[in-house]
Amino acid sequence: MMNFGDQLRDELDQIEAAGLTKRERLLTSPQGAHIMTIQGPALNFCANNYLGLANHPDVVAAAHRGLDAMGFGTASVRFICGTHAEHRELEKEIADVVGMEDAILFPSAFDANGALFEVLLTDEDAVISDSLNHASIIDGVRLSKAKRFRYENRNMEELEQRLQDAQGSRRILIVTDGVFSMDGYFAPLEQITALAEQYGAVVAVDDSHATGLIGPCGAGTPARAGLTDRVDIITGTLGKALGGASGGFVASTAEVVALLKQRGRPYLFSNAVAPSLVAGARTALRIAREGDDLRERLAENAEHFRARMTEAGFDLLPGSHPIVAVMFPGEDGARQASAIAEDMLKLGVYVIAFSYPVVPTGRARIRVQLSAAHSTADVDACVDAFIASRDRVAG
Ligand SMILES: *Cc1c(COP(=O)(O)O)cnc(C)c1O
């Protein structure tokens, strides 16, 4: 029998043989449109730095102030002695921006989703989940004892079927990503909330790729659709548009938040978000809230990129979100996408190729993420690199 180390080596070899090994690229500069890696400089098109706040001077200065005023760490979970006045301030400000009664912070959005379902649902209840929901939703749902139903991504006939299947449950919760991160597609909230009303379900939206950048004041996908009142729960992250450090939240009614503070395990048993991050996130949230100019810049960049890429003959998934999937369909697609992404890096443009099992077989793609920090020249350089690498890889 193989020993422990050999067993793991064997597993790693299988991952490598399947071409699935993920490798870290080491950065030696802060996050931004222009970054430095140990291999050299690059234009970055794969960060969740939608508003360019990850290294914004005001956010950095606020984090310094938080550090100086409140120290490095809380050395406690929230409910023992780890809640600073500023945690509550940030929670109220998040709730206010997304249009909910209250909010609760977690160490991450992964933990927010880890807490939510177990607290709200028992074996008398049902949860209905979109098939492309984020891994943290899938894991969070697994932690609850609720009956589980799944519908194909954005398929509203299937959602209705599942709602019928779930009838008789004490509670029915529909959960969806607000934006699907591999496609840049929005969840059809209009139809989801209408079905929820018809079948007596509550709706939770994970707006991690939307808070700060989508909707009026960056309030997210429910606000974009004018449906804030029809959505019961919004989860989100401080790790993307809102400064990109770490922290997550659940925003909802006072009762949902109160119950999460009694029973949410990542809230009860994991450390409070550090003071510097809380102070930085408050400033990032304020900049985002007032950041119509940033959202406009971001939308222009996405539009310009989509227009030029389409003109150059690339196959894009349609939409308006700054996540843009450049498709390389078919049998050879995975190889093409990864060869082009690799070649683009040699031209100083950093993008990432995704293939099976992250996306369905035959649906390989390069996912590009635009930022308000990109200049038009940066976006043009990205498109030019796509064209050059396509020619070089084909030729
Ligand atoms: C990024 C993301 C998360 C995880 O966010 P963290 O705060 O980094 O844990 C959760 N849900 C969705 C939909 C995400 O895109």
Side-chain angles (χ1 to χ4, degrees):
M1 204 175 107
M2 276 196 282
N3 70 30
F4 182 55
D6 288 343
Q7 289 168 3
L8 300 193
R9 180 41 53 203
D10 191 53
E11 201 170 329
L12 285 164
D13 288 345
Q14 287 172 30
I15 294 170
E16 178 69 30
L20 298 175
T21 304
K22 293 169 207 57
R23 291 187 171 82
E24 296 173 341
R25 192 168 297 288
L26 304 184
L27 274 59
T28 56
S29 73
Q31 190 58 271
H34 297 253
I35 56 170
M36 186 63 74
T37 77
I38 57 169
Q39 285 96 358
L43 261 170
N44 192 6
F45 283 89
C46 53
N48 299 309
N49 188 24
Y50 294 114
L51 299 179
L53 301 184
N55 193 33
H56 189 289
D58 294 355
V59 176
V60 174
H64 276 292
R65 280 198 303 277
L67 183 63
D68 291 339
M70 298 302 289
F72 179 64
T74 62
S76 173
V77 300
R78 289 284 299 276
F79 87 94
I80 297 180
C81 55
T83 299
H84 296 168
E86 213 168 0
H87 286 107
R88 276 307 284 154
E89 291 302 315
L90 177 55
E91 287 172 335
K92 287 183 210 150
E93 287 159 2
I94 289 169
D96 201 42
V97 167
V98 303
M100 294 280 148
E101 220 170 13
D102 202 356
I104 168 175
L105 279 172
F106 286 91
S108 68
F110 206 104
D111 284 327
N113 287 328
L116 186 67
F117 305 96
E118 190 189 17
V119 168
L120 296 183
L121 307 172
T122 69
D123 57 5
E124 295 174 66
D125 305 317
V127 56
I128 309 182
S129 180
D130 188 288
S131 64
L132 290 191
N133 277 346
H134 190 262
S136 57
I137 295 178
I138 296 169
D139 287 9
V141 165
R142 280 187 188 142
L143 291 171
S144 86
K145 297 202 164 61
K147 289 186 272 309
R148 299 173 209 163
F149 300 91
R150 214 172 74 124
Y151 61 98
E152 268 310 301
N153 179 234
R154 298 174 302 128
N155 184 325
M156 294 297 101
E157 281 98 70
E158 277 199 21
L159 172 57
E160 181 158 22
Q161 191 60 55
R162 298 295 93 81
L163 281 161
Q164 288 166 0
D165 297 342
Q167 288 303 299
S169 306
R170 181 186 64 154
R171 289 177 194 153
I172 304 174
L173 174 70
I174 304 169
V175 58
T176 181
D177 281 17
V179 175
F180 294 95
S181 65
M182 284 296 144
D183 304 326
Y185 288 160
F186 289 96
L189 292 183
E190 187 92 42
Q191 297 160 73
I192 290 172
T193 52
L195 285 168
E197 193 156 84
Q198 188 182 340
Y199 289 93
V202 294
V203 176
V205 175
D206 180 343
D207 242 359
S208 291
H209 284 283
T211 315
L213 68 142
I214 297 295
C217 300
T221 59
R224 169 183 178 267
L227 293 167
T228 304
D229 293 349
R230 310 274 292 273
V231 168
D232 302 278
I233 298 161
I234 296 176
T235 67
T237 184
L238 305 178
K240 290 181 171 121
L242 300 178
S246 61
F249 63 85
V250 175
S252 185
T253 60
E255 290 76 19
V256 167
V257 169
L259 201 59
L260 282 165
K261 287 194 174 181
Q262 298 310 310
R263 300 215 172 122
R265 292 170 69 83
Y267 170 87
L268 294 171
F269 300 112
S270 191
N271 221 36
V273 178
S276 54
L277 303 187
V278 172
R282 288 186 72 196
T283 295
L285 187 67
R286 181 182 53 72
I287 296 172
R289 181 176 209 162
E290 297 165 1
D292 284 342
D293 53 333
L294 294 175
R295 278 181 289 278
E296 217 163 281
R297 174 92 220 126
L298 177 61
E300 278 166 18
N301 282 342
E303 205 173 290
H304 181 61
F305 179 78
R306 285 175 183 273
R308 272 209 66 202
M309 288 291 284
T310 304
E311 189 187 289
F314 284 96
D315 175 9
L316 309 187
L317 293 187
S320 61
H321 195 274
I323 292 172
V324 184
V326 183
M327 304 302 289
F328 295 88
E331 246 171 52
D332 194 37
R335 190 200 57 80
Q336 280 172 24
S338 100
I340 289 173
E342 215 164 288
D343 190 65
M344 284 174 70
L345 192 58
K346 292 184 196 141
L347 302 175
V349 175
Y350 188 15
V351 291
I352 298 275
F354 293 94
S355 55
Y356 183 81
V358 180
V359 294
T361 345
R363 302 290 292 156
R365 67 201 62 187
I366 293 173
R367 181 179 69 172
V368 174
Q369 291 176 283
L370 285 306
S371 166
H374 292 129
S375 66
T376 306
D378 293 337
V379 178
D380 281 329
C382 180
V383 176
D384 294 341
F386 261 103
I387 295 169
S389 292
R390 177 178 61 185
D391 295 346
R392 281 156 45 132
V393 166

